[in-house]
């Protein structure tokens, strides 16, 4: 007899595109892990924040003996600044690490059956960990890659739509911050059609507003025509 203590939802295509799949699992009579304890969600959020606090840009820069991205270039520990300081390999590693910080804790929370509001809180916790890392005096990045990871965990369609906007704007302008801002502004619109739960739509709006706030200096430079473009290599 299959143990009744734990039943993870079947990894099907529908599961990954339906943000309400745990309820669907319940409707089929599938036994589930009792995950509705608020304390479990609090512990999960704490773990997500600590994971988000792992500043990938700093670790990559140290490993490759690059300048500290907090004190060189744009002074931002993000993939774009690491690209300027250390090249494509360092930037790719930074981007991957920041994306996984957003993707993994949220996707794991979904797989064990957290309600929508529960993994929304987990997403917010890992996002805040990236922006305000405990290990680095609460001085983190601007949250673009980590937000992309969160969006992919919520809905692959949503994450890919946001990424497509970023790529199109960047290809046309070669300005990373402009691409990030346009993608950020478009994401709540995509979320309105792709995410059925109000808690998840609200999460996306909160993330978008926070990313815009973190880019306020970039916005001033864009308006003043002083934002630097990345050169093709």
């Amino acid at each position: 007899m299959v143990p009744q203590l734990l039943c993870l939802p079947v990894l099907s295509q529908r599961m990954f595109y339906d943000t309400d799949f745990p309820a669907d699992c319940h409707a089929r009579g599938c036994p589930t892990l009792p995950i509705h304890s608020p304390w479990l969600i609090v512990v999960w959020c704490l773990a997500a924040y600590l994971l988000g606090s792992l500043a990938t840009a700093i670790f990559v820069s140290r490993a490759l003996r690059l300048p500290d991205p907090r004190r060189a270039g744009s002074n931002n520990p993000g993939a774009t600044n690491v690209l300027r300081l250390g090249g494509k390999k360092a930037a790719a590693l930074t981007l991957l690490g920041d994306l996984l910080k957003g993707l993994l804790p949220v996707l794991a929370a979904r797989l064990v059956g957290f309600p929508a509001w529960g993994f929304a809180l987990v997403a917010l916790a890992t996002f805040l960990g990236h922006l305000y890392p405990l290990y680095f005096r609460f001085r983190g990045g601007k949250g673009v890659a980590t937000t992309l990871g969160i969006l992919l965990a919520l809905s692959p369609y949503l994450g890919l739509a946001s990424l497509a906007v970023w790529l199109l704007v960047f290809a046309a302008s070669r300005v990373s911050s402009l691409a990030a801002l346009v993608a950020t502004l478009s994401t709540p619109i995509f979320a309105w059609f792709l995410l059925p739960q109000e808690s998840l739509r609200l999460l996306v709006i909160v993330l978008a507003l926070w990313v815009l706030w973190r880019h306020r200096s970039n916005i001033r430079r864009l308006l003043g025509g002083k934002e630097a473009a990345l050169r093709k290599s």
Side-chain angles (χ1 to χ4, degrees), residues 57-58 61 65-86 139 142:
I58 297 175
S61 297
R65 298 183 179 182
L66 301 175
D68 189 331
R70 296 168 297 176
R71 299 180 176 86
S74 65
N75 299 322
N76 176 59
T80 301
N81 195 30
V82 172
L83 175 63
R84 295 189 181 100
L85 299 174
R139 184 180 175 187
K142 296 180 178 179

Side-chain angles (χ1 to χ4, degrees), residues 116-181:
W117 63 266
F119 56 80
L121 290 178
V122 172
L124 185 60
T126 192
F127 177 78
L128 292 177
H130 177 75
L131 266 59
Y132 309 104
L134 177 65
Y135 318 118
F136 299 100
R137 299 181 180 181
F138 305 101
R139 184 180 175 187
K142 296 180 178 179
V144 175
T146 299
T147 299
L148 176 59
I150 292 171
L151 297 178
L152 289 170
L154 297 180
S155 164
Y157 288 144
L158 177 59
L160 291 175
S162 180
L163 177 61
V165 172
W166 191 98
L167 291 173
L168 288 172
V169 176
F170 181 75
S173 67
R174 303 298 298 179
V175 180
S176 177
S177 60
L178 178 61
L181 290 168

Side-chain angles (χ1 to χ4, degrees), residues 17-39:
Y17 295 113
D18 178 5
T19 55
D20 203 23
F21 68 84
D24 182 65
C25 184
H26 296 322
R28 296 196 307 270
C30 178
T32 56
L33 181 69
I35 46 72
H36 296 289
S37 167
W39 285 110

